[in-house]
Amino acid sequence: MASFSSRDGQEDQVLVEEKSFVRALILNRPKQLNALSYDMISRLLELFLVYEKDSNVKLVILKGKGRAFCAGGDVATVVRDINNGNWKSGEIFFRKEFTLNYLMATYSRPQVSILNGIVMGGGAGCSIHGSFRVATENSVFAMPETALGLFPDIGASYFLSRLPGHFGEYLGLTGARLDGAEMLACGLATHFVPSAKLPSLEAALYAVDSRDQAIISAIIREYSELPILKEQSAYHRLDVINRCFSRRTVEDILSALEREATNKVDDWILASIQSLKKASPTSLKISLRSIREGRLQGVGQCLVREYRMVCHVMRGQVSKDFVEVL
């Protein structure tokens, strides 16, 4: 028998569904595409900490209400506070968010994130670090921070740097969007389940009485499919991505892409060039170095470094792009 619990006020932004040994957390700001507010982050952190100490909880499911899993952190509020002279509130926001990301990355229980919709920025932070990430035909992934005067944070320098070849640099610098099939192909998703099968998958997961990841994975596999990548998928261009995005500097990457464009007519190359030229130049340089350093660091080291970096950005010590763009 399912039971739903929430509290009055802001904590209704995260709904809780309890079934036997499983807890499902539902991000509940559909009009804001489930963008993470400070209250949502605080509530998620509270719940994850409670569940880790509760022997009756063996699996945590995270999903979003509406057409988005989570479109990112509510950075517009952070920028408003910065413009009002209160960058400290942003510091508190990101510290709590990164603490949640680290907890998920090191969690003792399996976490299944159902990514049936938009997954961007902070939404990636509260899902990609978990054990299982289930994409669907509705999934749309992106790390759009360089266009916002920021850089891929939430531990992104850890997971982007571990994607095949230099695909992580490509995603982090251009903010390119991936569909569910591409997420599975590059490893951002662990499984692909058609959305029509999600009710059946969730019903099977709710019956779980185990913390064994092999058992959880086997259940998800029963409903999984191997989708076909679209002909125009960026993942088909991994050889070009590796040639260009392996270059030492942003300028070298851009020059390499422009050389590719002279040799071959390809809308994807032109779109990548345009994305880089539209992004914040400072953000591009910071992002490239961050991802490169992330290859040599653990997830905790990446989050600590990214937290220090984001504090510098909020103080305007690096550039004013973040507050000006937003």
Side-chain angles (χ1 to χ4, degrees):
M1 184 70 182
S3 67
F4 291 87
S5 63
S6 63
R7 302 181 188 178
D8 293 337
Q10 296 298 332
E11 288 173 350
D12 287 335
Q13 295 178 6
V14 178
L15 303 178
V16 180
E17 184 176 352
E18 301 180 359
K19 291 189 178 181
S20 300
F21 300 101
V22 180
R23 300 293 180 270
L25 307 182
I26 305 164
L27 305 180
N28 188 36
R29 295 182 77 202
K31 291 182 180 179
Q32 295 80 23
L33 300 179
N34 297 321
L36 293 171
S37 65
Y38 179 80
D39 295 290
M40 290 174 80
I41 294 168
S42 300
R43 181 65 171 146
L44 287 170
L45 182 58
E46 174 191 0
L47 290 168
F48 268 80
L49 288 171
V50 168
Y51 296 157
E52 190 161 45
K53 297 176 182 177
D54 188 343
S55 60
N56 289 319
V57 177
K58 298 182 180 180
L59 171 66
V60 179
I61 297 172
L62 187 61
K63 59 183 181 177
K65 188 174 183 180
R67 66 188 183 93
F69 170 75
C70 173
D74 191 0
V75 293
T77 300
V78 173
V79 170
R80 185 180 66 240
D81 289 339
I82 292 172
N83 288 332
N84 290 332
N86 183 22
W87 72 268
K88 280 283 189 182
S89 66
E91 181 186 63
I92 295 168
F93 176 95
F94 283 107
R95 183 169 66 238
K96 183 150 285 191
E97 183 179 23
F98 290 10
T99 301
L100 175 64
N101 298 152
Y102 182 74
L103 179 62
M104 289 176 166
T106 58
Y107 208 54
S108 61
R109 275 110 171 109
Q111 175 188 337
V112 176
S113 297
I114 298 177
L115 309 178
N116 188 34
I118 297 167
V119 188
M120 296 184 181
C126 64
S127 58
I128 304 300
H129 293 299
S131 318
F132 302 104
R133 290 90 61 190
V134 178
T136 76
E137 75 278 6
N138 299 319
S139 300
V140 180
F141 173 92
M143 297 297 294
E145 286 81 2
T146 58
L148 304 176
L150 258 176
F151 60 91
D153 53 358
I154 48 85
S157 65
Y158 178 79
F159 62 76
L160 288 179
S161 65
R162 284 157 175 80
L163 298 184
H166 293 273
F167 200 63
E169 281 97 328
Y170 161 68
L171 293 178
L173 297 185
T174 65
R177 295 187 175 193
L178 302 182
D179 62 23
E182 291 169 314
M183 291 180 68
L184 180 69
C186 73
L188 287 169
T190 58
H191 299 80
F192 181 97
V193 176
S195 60
K197 292 185 178 181
L198 289 179
S200 298
L201 170 62
E202 291 181 33
L205 290 174
Y206 285 140
V208 164
D209 182 10
S210 175
R211 290 166 50 181
D212 189 328
Q213 294 203 10
I215 292 175
I216 308 298
S217 183
I219 292 172
I220 303 174
R221 276 201 308 272
E222 289 182 17
Y223 301 89
S224 297
E225 294 182 3
L226 188 60
I228 298 174
L229 287 173
K230 295 176 182 176
E231 185 179 343
Q232 296 303 313
S233 171
Y235 203 68
H236 287 314
R237 296 164 170 80
L238 193 55
D239 57 340
V240 178
I241 288 171
N242 288 341
R243 280 200 301 273
C244 297
F245 286 85
S246 61
R247 302 302 175 115
R248 190 176 66 86
T249 66
V250 172
E251 291 82 1
D252 290 343
I253 290 172
L254 191 54
S255 295
L257 284 167
E258 289 173 338
R259 282 195 297 274
E260 294 280 346
T262 62
N263 297 328
K264 181 180 180 182
V265 177
D266 190 331
D267 291 340
W268 170 83
I269 295 176
L270 297 176
S272 297
I273 292 171
Q274 285 302 111
S275 294
L276 292 176
K277 288 185 175 180
K278 289 179 181 178
S280 160
T282 304
S283 292
L284 289 174
K285 291 177 181 292
I286 292 172
S287 300
L288 182 60
R289 179 170 176 178
S290 179
I291 294 169
R292 296 273 164 87
E293 289 190 7
R295 276 198 175 88
L296 305 174
Q297 296 178 327
V299 64
Q301 292 172 300
C302 287
L303 284 164
V304 168
R305 173 176 47 75
E306 290 172 10
Y307 176 69
R308 291 170 178 159
M309 291 165 61
V310 80
C311 287
H312 284 300
V313 170
M314 287 189 297
R315 293 171 189 167
Q317 295 176 335
V318 179
S319 79
K320 301 291 185 182
D321 289 352
F322 178 44
V323 292
E324 290 176 355
V325 169
L326 289 171

